DNA sequence: CTGAAAGCGCTTACAG
DNA sequence: CTGAAAGCGCTTACAG
């Protein structure tokens, strides 16, 4: 049989007190009641296995103790990692996580947010999908005083809350590493589909290159689809040219395998034939023979620029808690510094 | 200002009909009402941006159109991948995914399930944490006729629903591959913390080894903690012994990096000095120099046994839909075959 | 056929 | 101080 969950009324009848009394005692609210009755209520609740119906409570309180999270992608380790930390954090504050996957499509994204809103989530954390389609929609939500924050990706100058990596700074630091390796010329490999954070990376490279008088012109920027095939094709063009004192800047770790595939074809190695730096540790899924072969191109590990996921999650957690409790609704726009993970040039790998 | 969402009553007042009429029209339920009024209702709902409050609906219907998912781990690519497919599937059926992370701890697991239940999820998909602590609890839930299914991990002979990989069959197939490579002796590297699926793997190896008269005794089973250090230490002991015609069977992909570290230290290579097969494509997070060095131990890619994640998700999806709609509550215990991903021995890697 | 009213399980303002 | 009653936003059995 479908067992009915016990509710306040059941306890009230059992103990012979009002439902109000039960509610107040169980929630630790002030109420004058005999010690004996109080204990009886608590004992009975325990015995019957009472646990409050959060749906009813949510309807009554207009608060559900839940947070909606929308991310564009679960196929790298980046968002799952972010999700995991966020879930642990929120759950420690008693919040339930509702996740949605937009698959980087603004239409999906919007539908998912509508659903989350119809489920009365108390707050929304969104790593927005590609494009600017939903900016006005986000503004509406934020202006409705719903707790709202963008994570990882943002939009500049739109007055939306965000917590992201300082991509410009990180990219600049990466150029510094290349310069230390004697690079005199940078080739930038980026995604064709643009968004603010990766534009910031490009800006960071351009500005730091200028500051250090490293050659960097428009012809040195290559944009590509991120699938391995396309990235590989683009890289074959890059690697076909002159590579003397060249550092290749990878806008994201998704582009690496394509680069390695192309290098392998041409018999080139890192760092012997060119230098590399890029954003975020990449993961290799060692399922296919070709992967091993391509990884061999890396004769010595290069440095990486890593986003501070833990820091972002920490910041989001703090923001949610403060925003959810108080009515404070001030603008929050934070950029967290990226970190350099050094390779080991000069040592034996 | 915190904008109030529009509700049925608002529409009813605006159009001057009963709330009942609005509800029925909007839900496409049979109602005799003038074409004009009907259109007015729909138009008004649209204009005011009405969207039903799922919390209220959930309370009234005792159904929330939501599914709770509890997984033990988000740090490999396995569960995120599973989560992603599941979320896409469920969302296509109009179900919201509530996820929780037990961190492989039964106490967390139980707390999370309590929370999910208090949120009136319609169903529960659980990849159970280590140990058997919650078996009785799971039984209670399943017997209460709540839609309930274990995924990826299960308990034999307990009458609980599950959809998992046929680990015994997969492991046996793996032994076949090793045999084809001329292996005459198997060393089994497994997790110290046991559960049913990995026990099945061990059984599969044992039975297939016996069938093929491949040496496999208790001394050839090594159990270890799964962290890289511990696995490495265990593997140093293994690799210190005789390795002639030896195939190492890896119970899970988490053990690989330890094996590679140990092999590198000892100057051993695959397949020159020993053979390997194991469960699931492993991922390498290429952040640290040592990872590259250790991966070089693999001179030629070995074969892998892969679980059919897409198949499991498909099966779970089908089960949920049928169980949620009908009152059919029959026992579901399915094992999906594993697949071999061939390495490329004999070719140049 | 139709719409007012009950009720899902809570919390809390308010009448006694 | 206390507990009955209202109300959160829905759906649907039921009285008219």
């Amino acid at each position: 049989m479908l067992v009915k969950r016990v509710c306040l009324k059941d306890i009230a009848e059992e103990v012979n007190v009002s439902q109000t009394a039960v509610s107040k005692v169980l929630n630790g609210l002030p109420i004058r009641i005999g010690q004996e009755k109080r204990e009886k209520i608590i004992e009975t609740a325990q015995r019957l296995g009472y646990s409050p119906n959060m749906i009813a409570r949510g309807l009554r309180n207009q608060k559900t103790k839940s947070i909606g999270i929308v991310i564009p992608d679960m196929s790298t380790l980046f968002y799952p990692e972010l999700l995991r930390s966020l879930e642990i954090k929120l759950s420690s504050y008693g919040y339930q996580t509702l996740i949605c996957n937009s698959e980087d499509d603004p239409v999906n994204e919007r539908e998912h947010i509508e659903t989350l809103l119809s489920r009365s989530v108390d707050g929304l954390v969104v790593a927005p999908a590609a494009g600017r389609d939903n900016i006005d929609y986000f503004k509406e939500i934020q202006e409705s005083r719903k707790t709202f924050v963008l994570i990882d990706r943002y939009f500049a100058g739109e007055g939306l809350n965000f917590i992201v990596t300082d991509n410009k700074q990180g990219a600049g630091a990466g150029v510094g590493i290349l310069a230390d390796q004697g690079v005199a010329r940078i080739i930038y490999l980026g995604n064709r589909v643009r968004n603010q954070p990766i534009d910031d990376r490009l800006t960071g490279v351009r500005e730091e290159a200028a500051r250090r008088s490293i050659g960097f012109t428009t012809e040195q920027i290559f944009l590509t689809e991120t699938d391995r095939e396309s990235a590989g094709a683009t890289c074959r063009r890059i690697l076909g040219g002159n590579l003397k004192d060249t550092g290749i800047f990878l806008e994201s770790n998704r582009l690496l395998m394509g680069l390695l595939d192309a290098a392998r074809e041409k018999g080139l190695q890192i760092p012997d034939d060119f230098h590399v730096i890029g954003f975020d540790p990449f993961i290799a899924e060692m399922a296919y023979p070709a992967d091993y072969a391509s990884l061999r191109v890396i004769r010595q590990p290069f440095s990486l620029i890593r986003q501070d996921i833990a820091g972002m999650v920490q910041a989001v957690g703090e923001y949610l808690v403060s925003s959810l409790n108080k009515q404070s609704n001030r603008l929050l726009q934070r950029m967290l510094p990226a970190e350099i993970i050094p390779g080991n040039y000069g040592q034996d790998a």
Side-chain angles (χ1 to χ4, degrees), chain A:
Chain A
M1 65 292 118
L2 191 56
V3 285
K4 190 189 157 291
R5 289 172 63 87
V6 339
C7 63
L8 288 183
K9 198 163 148 235
D10 300 329
I11 300 174
E13 281 170 5
E14 179 105 0
V15 186
N16 234 344
V17 293
S18 75
Q19 195 173 317
T20 306
V22 178
S23 172
K24 293 208 166 175
V25 166
L26 260 26
N27 286 309
L29 294 175
I31 178 184
R32 251 183 56 80
I33 193 174
Q35 185 63 17
E36 189 188 355
K37 287 259 177 210
R38 158 172 273 134
E39 277 166 10
K40 189 102 186 280
I41 289 171
I42 293 171
E43 180 271 320
T44 306
Q46 217 137 38
R47 180 164 47 79
L48 301 184
Y50 173 76
S51 134
N53 181 323
M54 297 301 281
I55 298 291
R57 188 180 271 180
L59 181 59
R60 164 65 224 227
N61 288 352
Q62 304 287 59
K63 293 194 186 172
T64 53
K65 282 283 203 175
S66 66
I67 302 290
I69 301 185
V70 186
I71 55 176
D73 179 23
M74 294 266 276
S75 66
T76 66
L77 224 36
F78 181 80
Y79 287 112
E81 172 63 25
L82 197 146
L83 210 55
R84 168 171 180 263
S85 325
L86 218 43
E87 193 275 338
I88 293 176
K89 186 111 207 159
L90 291 177
S91 140
S92 79
Y93 289 125
Y95 281 84
Q96 175 70 44
T97 306
L98 312 204
I99 66 141
C100 297
N101 189 336
S102 69
E103 298 285 314
D104 218 2
D105 172 359
V107 177
N108 284 343
E109 178 173 82
R110 185 161 179 155
E111 276 173 13
H112 276 132
I113 294 179
E114 289 289 311
T115 308
L116 291 170
L117 254 19
S118 78
R119 289 181 185 275
S120 308
V121 292
D122 298 333
L124 235 24
V125 180
V126 179
R132 306 177 57 83
D133 301 20
N134 287 338
I135 291 183
D136 287 338
Y137 181 56
F138 293 149
K139 281 191 201 168
E140 258 177 55
I141 296 173
Q142 183 169 308
E143 278 157 20
S144 78
R145 301 188 61 82
K146 178 129 306 224
T147 292
F148 179 88
V149 62
L150 298 174
I151 187 166
D152 184 52
R153 301 187 185 170
Y154 76 112
F155 304 100
E158 301 285 358
L160 291 170
N161 296 326
F162 62 74
I163 293 170
V164 299
T165 299
D166 189 342
N167 287 289
K168 205 173 107 179
Q169 164 267 328
V175 170
I177 301 278
L178 289 178
D180 292 346
Q181 289 162 177
V183 160
R185 181 172 163 270
I186 288 175
I187 288 184
Y188 188 93
L189 181 62
N191 297 267
R192 185 173 306 287
V193 180
R194 307 303 298 167
N195 57 43
Q196 187 68 54
I198 60 181
D199 279 344
D200 291 351
R201 292 177 189 177
L202 181 50
T203 305
V205 169
R206 185 181 284 126
E207 291 184 1
E208 188 64 20
R211 194 168 303 126
R212 292 177 181 264
S213 310
I214 294 177
F216 188 58
T217 63
T218 311
E219 298 89 69
Q220 283 153 246
I221 300 174
F222 290 78
L223 302 185
T224 177
E225 307 304 322
T226 55
D227 65 286
R228 188 161 169 173
E229 294 296 300
S230 308
T234 306
C235 288
R236 276 199 296 279
R237 277 170 39 225
I238 295 175
L239 297 180
N242 169 30
L243 291 177
K244 184 163 157 38
D245 296 330
T246 296
I248 298 186
F249 190 102
L250 293 174
E251 191 173 76
S252 97
N253 53 9
R254 315 195 63 154
L255 301 168
L256 180 73
M257 289 311 289
L259 175 63
L260 297 186
D261 290 345
R264 175 168 55 96
E265 275 180 45
K266 305 221 175 248
L268 302 174
Q269 291 199 305
I270 304 169
D272 312 67
D273 299 296
F274 59 93
H275 294 272
V276 174
I277 196 163
F279 260 90
D280 290 322
F282 59 96
I283 56 162
E285 186 169 355
M286 310 307 279
Y288 303 99
D291 286 16
Y292 295 86
S294 288
L295 280 172
R296 265 158 212 266
V297 162
I298 308 177
R299 227 186 30 80
Q300 289 184 34
F302 47 83
S303 303
L304 296 167
I305 308 158
R306 176 154 69 181
Q307 304 193 63
D308 180 7
I309 297 187
M312 285 198 262
V313 168
Q314 177 69 25
V316 169
E318 282 166 14
Y319 168 68
L320 289 178
V321 173
S322 83
S323 164
L324 255 18
N325 293 338
K326 302 158 208 169
Q327 289 303 7
S328 102
N329 215 34
R330 57 179 181 68
L331 188 62
L332 173 79
Q333 304 197 325
R334 264 191 74 181
M335 290 204 177
L336 280 72
E339 173 197 11
I340 298 287
I341 303 180
N344 67 343
Y345 275 16
Q347 306 160 39
D348 187 16

